[in-house]
mmCIF file of all heavy atoms in Angstrom:
data_model
loop_
_atom_site.group_PDB
_atom_site.id
_atom_site.type_symbol
_atom_site.label_atom_id
_atom_site.label_comp_id
_atom_site.label_asym_id
_atom_site.label_seq_id
_atom_site.Cartn_x
_atom_site.Cartn_y
_atom_site.Cartn_z
ATOM 1 N N THR A 557 17.641 -9.805 18.058
ATOM 2 C CA THR A 557 16.331 -10.468 18.508
ATOM 3 C C THR A 557 15.350 -10.702 17.618
ATOM 4 O O THR A 557 14.326 -11.259 17.944
ATOM 5 C CB THR A 557 15.697 -9.624 19.656
ATOM 6 O OG1 THR A 557 15.260 -8.277 19.158
ATOM 7 C CG2 THR A 557 16.697 -9.164 20.814
ATOM 8 N N GLY A 558 15.617 -10.145 16.305
ATOM 9 C CA GLY A 558 14.464 -10.118 15.316
ATOM 10 C C GLY A 558 14.510 -11.508 14.506
ATOM 11 O O GLY A 558 15.220 -12.377 14.731
ATOM 12 N N CYS A 559 13.532 -11.449 13.552
ATOM 13 C CA CYS A 559 13.324 -12.636 12.684
ATOM 14 C C CYS A 559 14.551 -13.032 11.790
ATOM 15 O O CYS A 559 14.898 -14.139 11.694
ATOM 16 C CB CYS A 559 12.003 -12.512 11.891
ATOM 17 S SG CYS A 559 12.079 -11.068 10.801
ATOM 18 N N ASP A 560 15.074 -11.900 11.321
ATOM 19 C CA ASP A 560 16.201 -12.128 10.335
ATOM 20 C C ASP A 560 17.260 -11.086 10.659
ATOM 21 O O ASP A 560 17.349 -10.019 10.045
ATOM 22 C CB ASP A 560 15.750 -11.929 8.816
ATOM 23 C CG ASP A 560 16.850 -12.220 7.874
ATOM 24 O OD1 ASP A 560 17.806 -12.842 8.258
ATOM 25 O OD2 ASP A 560 16.617 -11.980 6.683
ATOM 26 N N ALA A 561 17.866 -11.245 11.756
ATOM 27 C CA ALA A 561 18.756 -10.234 12.442
ATOM 28 C C ALA A 561 20.206 -10.533 12.321
ATOM 29 O O ALA A 561 20.644 -11.460 11.900
ATOM 30 C CB ALA A 561 18.398 -10.279 13.919
ATOM 31 N N ALA A 562 20.972 -9.420 12.619
ATOM 32 C CA ALA A 562 22.315 -9.598 12.755
ATOM 33 C C ALA A 562 22.655 -10.686 13.842
ATOM 34 O O ALA A 562 22.086 -10.456 14.916
ATOM 35 C CB ALA A 562 22.973 -8.220 12.945
ATOM 36 N N PRO A 563 23.569 -11.552 13.598
ATOM 37 C CA PRO A 563 23.799 -12.432 14.799
ATOM 38 C C PRO A 563 24.304 -11.695 15.993
ATOM 39 O O PRO A 563 24.999 -10.603 15.931
ATOM 40 C CB PRO A 563 25.012 -13.439 14.273
ATOM 41 C CG PRO A 563 25.572 -12.571 13.160
ATOM 42 C CD PRO A 563 24.495 -11.710 12.531
ATOM 43 N N TYR A 564 23.981 -12.204 17.120
ATOM 44 C CA TYR A 564 24.269 -11.507 18.382
ATOM 45 C C TYR A 564 25.784 -11.143 18.624
ATOM 46 O O TYR A 564 26.134 -10.264 19.169
ATOM 47 C CB TYR A 564 23.690 -12.277 19.660
ATOM 48 C CG TYR A 564 24.633 -13.463 20.136
ATOM 49 C CD1 TYR A 564 25.665 -13.383 20.840
ATOM 50 C CD2 TYR A 564 24.268 -14.700 19.644
ATOM 51 C CE1 TYR A 564 26.317 -14.390 21.345
ATOM 52 C CE2 TYR A 564 25.063 -15.767 20.181
ATOM 53 C CZ TYR A 564 26.143 -15.581 20.993
ATOM 54 O OH TYR A 564 26.878 -16.631 21.455
ATOM 55 N N PHE A 565 26.633 -12.004 18.001
ATOM 56 C CA PHE A 565 28.081 -11.883 18.173
ATOM 57 C C PHE A 565 28.610 -10.751 17.223
ATOM 58 O O PHE A 565 29.798 -10.479 17.193
ATOM 59 C CB PHE A 565 28.765 -13.096 17.940
ATOM 60 C CG PHE A 565 28.491 -13.908 16.780
ATOM 61 C CD1 PHE A 565 29.019 -13.575 15.581
ATOM 62 C CD2 PHE A 565 27.460 -14.983 16.889
ATOM 63 C CE1 PHE A 565 28.707 -14.318 14.487
ATOM 64 C CE2 PHE A 565 27.223 -15.748 15.787
ATOM 65 C CZ PHE A 565 27.699 -15.490 14.633
ATOM 66 N N ARG A 566 27.751 -10.065 16.352
ATOM 67 C CA ARG A 566 28.139 -9.095 15.463
ATOM 68 C C ARG A 566 28.073 -7.766 16.221
ATOM 69 O O ARG A 566 26.979 -7.318 16.442
ATOM 70 C CB ARG A 566 27.385 -8.984 14.167
ATOM 71 C CG ARG A 566 27.825 -7.916 13.220
ATOM 72 C CD ARG A 566 26.904 -7.869 11.853
ATOM 73 N NE ARG A 566 27.453 -6.937 11.036
ATOM 74 C CZ ARG A 566 26.799 -6.520 9.833
ATOM 75 N NH1 ARG A 566 25.670 -7.202 9.564
ATOM 76 N NH2 ARG A 566 27.349 -5.807 9.007
ATOM 77 N N VAL A 567 29.100 -7.149 16.663
ATOM 78 C CA VAL A 567 29.159 -5.934 17.470
ATOM 79 C C VAL A 567 29.836 -4.813 16.611
ATOM 80 O O VAL A 567 31.077 -4.994 16.413
ATOM 81 C CB VAL A 567 29.756 -6.156 18.748
ATOM 82 C CG1 VAL A 567 29.701 -4.814 19.559
ATOM 83 C CG2 VAL A 567 29.106 -7.298 19.433
ATOM 84 N N PHE A 568 29.129 -3.897 16.141
ATOM 85 C CA PHE A 568 29.844 -2.747 15.329
ATOM 86 C C PHE A 568 30.748 -2.097 16.232
ATOM 87 O O PHE A 568 30.567 -1.767 17.360
ATOM 88 C CB PHE A 568 28.727 -1.839 14.864
ATOM 89 C CG PHE A 568 28.008 -2.235 13.672
ATOM 90 C CD1 PHE A 568 26.578 -2.377 13.747
ATOM 91 C CD2 PHE A 568 28.435 -2.372 12.406
ATOM 92 C CE1 PHE A 568 25.822 -2.831 12.648
ATOM 93 C CE2 PHE A 568 27.791 -2.686 11.379
ATOM 94 C CZ PHE A 568 26.401 -2.840 11.563
#
Side-chain angles (χ1 to χ4, degrees):
T557 64
C559 56
D560 188 9
Y564 78 84
F565 48 81
R566 182 181 184 184
V567 181
F568 281 114

